[in-house]
């Protein structure tokens, strides 16, 4: 178990949308994991907020159900002590009315004593971000608070700018935590350490040695449990301009002056500003057959459930190196992988080596992992070559205690560490990169569930191939 945050002051954590799907699947289990890891402060309260008028006991039962549905069976003794810190403030929350939140919050502050840090987590639909932010300011809940925004932070460049103006009219930038759980993955830290702590990899981390980069996140999942949300976003907004672009920035950034929040964020946003605007001729969109039959989906919907794109980064380190991005629903397998494909060396074996024989890949799922493939001679009398793999499962390291992304990021919010959260300048650049695709998208191509998406996606990486699934 991790050492408790005994030096951390008291916290009141307000969870907007506390009975919604996102909170149930991600936030509530993550918060309880912080308790089991000893990462919550000595004094804390969690206040759920929603439109319904729910008794504290009923919210505690809802929280417990969320844990059991996620596969967690709370220890009865630990749960009893934990549940006493959970409260619910109903009646909604907007600029016209705070519901019962101010009253419940006042009692929570009084019970803790002192001046607890206020953290607001907006696990609500993005369309409600602006109104809730204005309400925080209007009801006196913004000063000194930390405010967490789920993605997507905007749905277009114009929408982003409008939301950003509202947020900064109420909050200072240092109070804002725009969450992207891919940045909270253990593998994100693996990328940093492998590159910046090892000269062997730092030496080839550039276009002179790397032929291409693949960021591949296929999913077998459907969208049945979030149909309305998905039909308003699609794979492009839900995954590519959020998660995949941020992972590309993690791979491509210049070495920061330090791994502190300001330096790390600056390096990430600087390289995003070098992303070239997408060429829609280098993007493929797909929709799985049967998507329009899902309850809640417009029968005429043209929304994408698959996207594959070629991204270029116009700086000296990565010029002319393609970054291939792919993600989609109802595909053949689920995986989350970054692959750096090295160029074939010149010399006596030039042209005789197996393609993609030298690849460094990172598993972004679970606890993370690294795999290095190298060309080797098969033992025997002949000079037969094959590809050997050297896996490095990071959870096998001594005293490893990996944290799921939401646990890591909520802990960072509680401690005030903004290293793994996005900044507005980087998001503004992302929307510029995606603008050609959003304003004039290519035709959506139908693909069969359980396939690898539209067959045309294979041509995007030709003469190579997508490594996941090969």
């Amino acid at each position: 178990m991790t050492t408790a945050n005994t030096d951390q002051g008291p916290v009141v954590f307000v969870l907007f949308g506390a009975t919604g799907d996102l909170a149930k699947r991600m936030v509530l289990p993550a918060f309880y994991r912080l308790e089991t890891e000893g990462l919550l402060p000595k004094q804390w309260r969690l206040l759920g907020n929603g439109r319904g008028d729910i008794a504290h006991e009923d919210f505690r039962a809802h929280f417990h159900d969320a844990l059991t549905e996620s596969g967690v069976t709370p220890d009865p003794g630990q749960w009893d002590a934990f549940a006493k810190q959970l409260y619910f403030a109903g009646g909604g929350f907007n600029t016209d009315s705070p519901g019962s939140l101010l009253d419940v919050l006042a009692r929570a502050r009084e019970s803790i004593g002192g001046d607890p840090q206020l953290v607001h987590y907006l696990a609500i639909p993005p369309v409600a971000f602006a109104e809730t932010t204005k309400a925080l300011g209007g009801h006196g809940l913004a000063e000194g608070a930390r405010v967490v925004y789920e993605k997507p932070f905007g749905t277009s460049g114009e929408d982003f700018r409008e939301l950003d103006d509202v947020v900064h009219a109420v909050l200072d930038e240092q109070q804002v935590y725009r969450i992207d759980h891919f940045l909270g993955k253990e593998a994100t830290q693996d990328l940093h350490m492998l590159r910046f702590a090892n000269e062997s990899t730092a030496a080839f981390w550039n276009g002179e040695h790397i032929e291409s980069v693949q960021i591949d996140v296929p999913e077998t999942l459907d969208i049945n449990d979030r149909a309305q949300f998905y039909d308003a976003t699609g794979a492009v907004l839900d995954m590519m301009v959020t998660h995949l672009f941020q992972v590309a920035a993690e791979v491509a950034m210049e070495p920061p002056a330090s791994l502190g929040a300001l330096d790390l964020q600056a390096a990430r946003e600087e390289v995003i500003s070098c992303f070239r605007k997408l060429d829609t001729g280098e993007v493929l969109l797909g929709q799985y057959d049967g998507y329009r039959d899902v309850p809640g989906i417009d029968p005429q919907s043209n929304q994408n459930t698959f996207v594959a794109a070629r991204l270029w980064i116009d700086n000296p380190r990565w010029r002319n190196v393609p970054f291939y991005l792919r993600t989609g629903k109802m595909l053949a397998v689920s995986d989350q992988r970054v692959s750096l494909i090295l160029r074939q060396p010149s010399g006596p074996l030039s042209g005789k080596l197996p393609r993609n024989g030298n690849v460094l890949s990172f598993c972004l799922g679970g606890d993370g992992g690294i795999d290095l493939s190298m060309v080797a001679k098969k033992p025997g009398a002949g000079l037969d070559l094959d590809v050997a793999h050297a896996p490095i499962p990071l959870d096998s390291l001594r005293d490893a205690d990996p944290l799921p992304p939401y646990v890591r990021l909520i802990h960072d919010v509680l401690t005030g560490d903004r290293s793994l959260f996005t900044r507005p300048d980087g998001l503004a650049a992302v929307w510029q990169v995606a603008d050609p695709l959003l304003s004039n998208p290519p035709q959506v191509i139908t693909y069969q569930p359980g396939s690898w998406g539209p067959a045309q996606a294979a041509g995007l990486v030709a003469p190579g191939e997508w490594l996941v699934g090969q």
Side-chain angles (χ1 to χ4, degrees):
M1 179 177 291
T2 311
T3 303
N5 284 337
T6 54
D7 59 342
Q8 190 179 332
V11 170
V12 176
F13 191 93
V14 182
L15 179 57
F16 295 93
T19 58
D21 180 68
L22 174 65
K24 182 177 71 173
R25 290 186 298 107
M26 299 294 185
V27 185
L28 298 180
F31 201 88
Y32 186 72
R33 175 70 179 270
L34 289 172
E35 166 72 7
T36 62
E37 293 284 343
L39 293 173
L40 290 178
K42 285 185 175 180
Q43 293 287 332
W44 63 271
R45 302 289 186 273
L46 186 149
L47 312 184
N49 175 261
R51 291 190 296 269
D53 188 12
I54 301 174
H56 302 317
E57 293 77 10
D58 292 335
F59 177 57
R60 292 163 185 166
H62 170 81
F63 199 130
H64 193 280
D65 290 344
L67 295 179
T68 56
E69 289 179 23
S70 70
V72 175
T73 303
D75 174 81
Q78 187 175 38
W79 169 255
D80 289 343
F82 179 86
K84 291 177 182 178
Q85 319 308 317
L86 307 176
Y87 298 88
F88 193 82
F93 182 79
N94 54 47
T95 51
D96 293 330
S97 170
S100 63
L101 180 57
L102 297 184
D103 294 335
V104 176
L105 180 57
R107 290 195 293 271
R109 281 173 160 163
E110 182 179 359
S111 68
I112 289 179
D115 185 21
Q117 173 66 55
L118 197 55
V119 174
H120 302 297
Y121 194 115
L122 276 58
I124 55 180
V127 295
F129 287 170
E131 171 63 16
T132 302
T133 303
K134 292 176 184 176
L136 291 175
H139 296 299
L141 300 182
E143 184 176 356
R146 298 169 186 161
V147 184
V148 184
Y149 293 87
E150 273 287 345
K151 55 92 180 171
F153 195 83
T155 56
S156 67
E158 181 180 359
D159 187 51
F160 160 76
R161 288 187 293 272
E162 292 175 356
L163 177 57
D164 195 52
D165 288 343
V166 169
V167 168
H168 286 115
V170 176
L171 305 165
D172 294 331
E173 174 59 24
Q174 294 304 308
Q175 296 177 262
V176 181
Y177 293 73
R178 302 172 192 83
I179 202 166
D180 185 323
H181 74 269
F182 267 58
L183 294 183
K185 289 177 174 290
E186 288 287 346
T188 300
Q189 318 313 309
D190 300 342
L191 282 168
H192 295 163
M193 292 304 105
L194 184 71
R195 177 181 176 188
F196 301 134
N198 296 278
E199 181 61 22
S200 59
T201 44
F204 68 70
W205 209 281
N206 55 61
E208 179 181 356
H209 301 288
I210 295 175
E211 174 188 286
S212 62
V213 177
Q214 293 186 14
I215 302 173
D216 206 358
V217 188
E219 298 180 284
T220 58
L221 295 174
D222 58 28
I223 50 85
N224 290 352
D225 61 345
R226 55 203 297 248
Q228 191 172 16
F229 167 84
Y230 202 87
D231 207 36
T233 56
V236 170
L237 295 182
D238 185 44
M239 290 292 294
M240 192 175 76
V241 301
T242 51
H243 302 322
L244 302 194
F245 277 4
Q246 292 297 330
V247 173
E250 291 293 320
V251 173
M253 70 168 67
E254 291 299 303
S258 74
L259 295 184
L262 295 179
D263 290 333
L264 193 57
Q265 285 185 324
R268 188 187 301 126
E269 311 314 335
E270 179 182 359
V271 76
I272 290 176
S273 71
C274 297
F275 287 9
R276 189 187 304 174
K277 283 189 175 183
L278 291 175
D279 179 346
T280 55
E282 297 182 313
V283 179
L284 280 164
L285 299 180
Q287 182 187 98
Y288 68 80
D289 188 28
Y291 172 79
R292 297 177 180 179
D293 299 328
V294 175
I297 299 296
D298 181 349
Q300 304 300 318
S301 175
N302 202 38
Q303 187 58 271
N304 57 82
T305 62
F306 173 96
V307 58
R310 185 186 296 132
L311 174 70
W312 301 97
I313 301 177
D314 290 328
N315 66 8
R317 183 180 295 272
W318 299 108
R319 189 166 286 114
N320 299 323
V321 176
F323 279 60
Y324 296 109
L325 316 179
R326 181 175 69 166
T327 187
K329 299 291 187 183
M330 296 288 284
L331 296 179
V333 301
S334 288
D335 203 345
Q336 300 178 4
R337 189 165 296 276
V338 175
S339 301
L340 281 64
I341 303 167
L342 275 69
R343 299 185 185 278
Q344 292 203 1
S346 57
L349 294 176
S350 179
K352 301 177 183 178
L353 300 174
R355 184 167 182 83
N356 300 331
N358 198 187
V359 178
L360 180 65
S361 72
F362 300 82
C363 174
L364 299 181
D367 299 329
I370 301 169
D371 184 89
L372 177 63
S373 65
M374 302 181 69
V375 177
K377 174 189 172 297
K378 288 183 179 181
L383 189 62
D384 297 325
L385 302 179
D386 203 349
V387 179
H389 293 271
I392 306 174
L394 297 176
D395 59 355
S396 66
L397 296 179
R398 186 177 60 186
D399 297 327
D401 187 18
L403 295 177
Y406 270 86
V407 179
R408 169 65 184 265
L409 292 173
I410 293 175
H411 178 254
D412 285 355
V413 175
L414 295 176
T415 60
D417 185 347
R418 300 178 69 247
S419 303
L420 300 177
F421 296 85
T422 58
R423 278 191 349 194
D425 49 351
L427 290 176
V430 160
W431 288 115
Q432 290 181 1
V433 173
D435 181 67
L437 177 58
L438 299 175
S439 59
N440 186 29
Q443 181 179 357
V444 174
I445 303 170
T446 301
Y447 63 94
Q448 293 302 309
S451 71
W452 285 103
Q456 294 89 328
L460 193 67
V461 296
E465 60 270 335
W466 294 102
L467 298 187
V468 174
Q470 297 303 315

